[in-house]
Amino acid sequence: MRSRITLYITLGALTGSAVSLHAQDRGGTGKAVYEKSCALCHAAGIAGAPKLGDAGEWSARLRAGIATLYRSAVAGTPNGMPAKGGNLSLSGAEVRAAVDYMVRSAGGAPKSSAVPGGKRATASARGAAKPAAGNPAQIGAAPASKPARETPTPTVVAAAPSGTPAQAAIDPNAFNRLLAPPGGRNPPPAEDGIHDPGNPGIHALQPPLESFQRLPRANAGNRVNWVAALGKKQIQPRWDLGDPQAEPSAMDLNIVREVKGSMPDVVYPHRQHTEWLDCSNCHPAIFVPQKGANQISMAAILLGQKCGVCHGKVAFPVSECRLCHSRKKDAPASSTAAVPAAEARK
Amino acid sequence: MRPGNRARAYAALGAAIVALTLVPGGARRALAEYGDVVINNYSDAAGVRPAVFPHWFHRVRFRCKVCHSDLGFKFKAGGNEINMLKIIDGQFCGACHNGNIAWSVENCDLCHSGKPGTPTQVHESTIQQLAAPAETPAAAKK
């Protein structure tokens, strides 16, 4: 156990001096929040809550990484830890401060992040490499043995609260067995599960929400309506590598693809596509430029072919049926010729 | 427990039940941004973290056409055989990450930022979204 904790200390040092600053100014808050909202269960260990000061229990939990503990505390766990201890008025930062306080009470990681020399470690860790492979760059990553690297390290970025579920026993009778919980959407890189939170460069990356909060929202994908963002000139992505002035010449040509069955017909709009893409991105590799000449089916799209080359990968995902299936069939009952949803949204 | 605290404890336990219903499954999944591409053809073997390419960030700055037509990136994660030599010679990422259009290549950590062992993938792609039992590796990868 000891050696584990030492590892965390070193990893904590890696994340640098910014962390120690945070850790220091939160000492007071952490204790206050703990006493008000957490002591209830965590003082006596009610319902299996890890007790304040119980080093054995906390260090075992710390193995999942402090980021996981933060998540459990903010989002709750299925084993009795209520989200934010049941006090939903707490901010994410306050909850994390309380976690730091509790972990520190047991001699765990956040205290260690104040270890001096963190800054040096950060500087020398540029180009940190996976140590096992014996790359020269590995000096940077020296403290991290492989298993420790895969463990989330202290992340003290106080960005978007993450509602991620904790890793915990799965209730076989959970209401949603397959539907993934909404979770913390657009989390900052250090918490997103594919970035390595132990990477010293991680905090230099932009948290998506910082960018997205200025853009029109959508229901899926990045949760940004990219067509509207571009249309309203809220973003000005370049059309040319070096020339910020260059403009695309969008082509306004809709292709209607009739769909058998009840689903509305598909309107494929060239305009929105040629704002972003070159003709050669689609023609002829993905689509022969001739109306009706291409076999397109949902099965192909779901497999990442045809429209699915982009939709379901980078452009809005396949779940947004009505953005593509936007034209009502000419059914005798409803004669109101539908405007394609894509157009109506403009 | 002090008696005065009991009411609060019950309230908190009530909240625990609510939390229970709100946190189903409980499997840990990655929540990275839609369209983030992990590129790991050579990285693991070479002892660096896999590269992570964020589409959302770049599409705020460039249309798809610049990369996928002018610079010749194929629409295939891991399909471009990118390596550092090509990058310092100004191809692929190196067409921009050259200290001129964007910060230069010595900032290894900004690109090589993935968790070691993460396979090449487009995050949140349709295939990854298809429902899978929470305990299978496929779901864990989400």
Side-chain angles (χ1 to χ4, degrees):
Chain A
M1 204 49 41
R2 265 288 125 207
S3 65
R4 279 278 175 192
I5 292 177
T6 329
L7 260 178
Y8 281 108
I9 294 179
T10 358
L11 286 171
L14 261 180
T15 62
S17 50
V19 176
S20 49
L21 279 178
H22 275 275
Q24 270 156 22
D25 69 39
R26 294 197 322 199
T29 330
K31 185 159 189 277
V33 174
Y34 166 79
E35 281 167 357
K36 184 161 163 259
S37 307
C38 323
L40 227 52
C41 300
H42 285 275
I46 287 175
K51 273 200 259 184
L52 188 77
D54 184 333
E57 247 196 297
W58 281 105
S59 53
R61 286 177 187 269
L62 256 177
R63 241 174 279 163
I66 188 79
T68 307
L69 298 190
Y70 288 160
R71 268 198 292 271
S72 304
V74 171
T77 76
N79 294 334
M81 169 64 204
K84 297 187 174 179
N87 181 352
L88 295 176
S89 67
L90 292 173
S91 71
E94 285 170 320
V95 175
R96 284 189 289 263
V99 175
D100 287 357
Y101 171 76
M102 290 199 267
V103 169
R104 220 179 300 133
S105 77
K111 180 171 112 205
S112 63
S113 56
V115 161
K119 204 164 187 183
R120 218 195 63 241
T122 309
S124 69
R126 302 215 136 229
K130 201 169 88 180
N135 181 292
Q138 76 162 270
I139 7 123
S145 72
K146 183 137 196 276
R149 262 285 217 79
E150 273 162 1
T151 319
T153 43
T155 37
V156 190
V157 260
S162 61
T164 332
Q167 186 160 42
I170 291 160
D171 174 3
N173 299 322
F175 180 81
N176 286 121
R177 224 169 48 76
L178 296 180
L179 175 69
R185 282 172 179 148
N186 313 112
E191 293 169 21
D192 72 5
I194 64 172
H195 286 90
D196 181 354
N199 173 6
I202 190 104
H203 298 305
L205 298 176
Q206 185 176 45
L209 276 181
E210 190 182 298
S211 158
F212 296 170
Q213 65 195 3
R214 296 164 171 248
L215 304 179
R217 306 297 285 171
N219 289 327
N222 300 113
R223 301 188 176 270
V224 169
N225 183 337
W226 292 107
V227 171
L230 186 65
K232 295 184 197 148
K233 295 211 183 318
Q234 287 164 312
I235 54 172
Q236 272 115 25
R238 292 187 186 182
W239 178 252
D240 184 85
L241 184 57
D243 176 7
Q245 281 358 307
E247 287 279 344
S249 46
M251 180 174 90
D252 211 346
L253 169 66
N254 285 351
I255 310 265
V256 178
R257 307 262 324 192
E258 283 172 20
V259 177
K260 289 202 196 86
S262 68
M263 284 296 284
D265 290 342
V266 171
V267 179
Y268 165 80
H270 268 93
R271 184 174 56 78
Q272 287 93 318
H273 289 92
T274 49
E275 286 279 357
W276 289 99
L277 294 150
D278 192 69
C279 317
S280 68
N281 284 132
C282 291
H283 298 309
I286 309 177
F287 302 108
V288 181
Q290 191 192 328
K291 185 173 167 5
N294 301 269
Q295 286 274 351
I296 313 177
S297 70
M298 278 320 287
I301 294 173
L302 286 166
L303 286 174
Q305 297 156 5
K306 308 294 171 188
C307 319
V309 168
C310 300
H311 292 280
K313 303 246 172 89
V314 176
F316 67 79
V318 182
S319 58
E320 305 310 284
C321 317
R322 283 191 179 274
L323 288 181
C324 292
H325 291 273
S326 59
R327 204 185 77 153
K328 263 196 237 162
K329 298 231 168 79
D330 306 320
S334 61
S335 55
T336 31
V339 192
E343 300 299 320
R345 288 197 313 155
K346 290 271 107 183
Chain B
M1 198 188 321
R2 276 180 287 128
N5 271 351
R6 189 151 293 159
R8 275 162 71 206
Y10 279 123
L13 285 171
I17 291 163
V18 172
L20 236 176
T21 59
L22 290 180
V23 190
R28 196 116 78 71
R29 47 175 204 134
L31 292 162
E33 210 42 61
Y34 181 70
D36 277 5
V37 180
V38 178
I39 311 176
N40 191 357
N41 289 328
Y42 317 110
S43 297
D44 267 346
V48 291
R49 297 185 182 88
V52 179
F53 172 82
H55 263 105
W56 66 270
F57 183 91
H58 287 85
R59 75 181 290 186
V60 166
R61 290 158 179 82
F62 295 97
R63 320 261 177 153
C64 327
K65 170 253 186 193
V66 174
C67 292
H68 290 294
S69 175
D70 301 352
L71 298 179
F73 281 98
K74 292 189 197 122
F75 285 134
K76 176 116 187 58
N80 292 278
E81 297 175 1
I82 306 173
N83 64 31
M84 289 316 292
L85 178 63
K86 293 180 186 168
I87 291 180
I88 60 171
D89 282 348
Q91 288 176 267
F92 298 116
C93 322
C96 302
H97 289 281
N98 54 11
N100 180 19
I101 290 175
W103 41 258
S104 167
V105 73
E106 69 268 18
N107 296 289
C108 320
D109 287 346
L110 295 186
C111 293
H112 290 282
S113 63
K115 278 190 187 157
T118 312
T120 299
Q121 62 176 290
V122 189
H123 194 69
E124 299 257 295
S125 61
T126 314
I127 304 283
Q128 287 188 351
Q129 292 289 333
L130 297 178
E135 271 164 312
T136 64
K141 249 191 267 152
K142 287 202 224 171

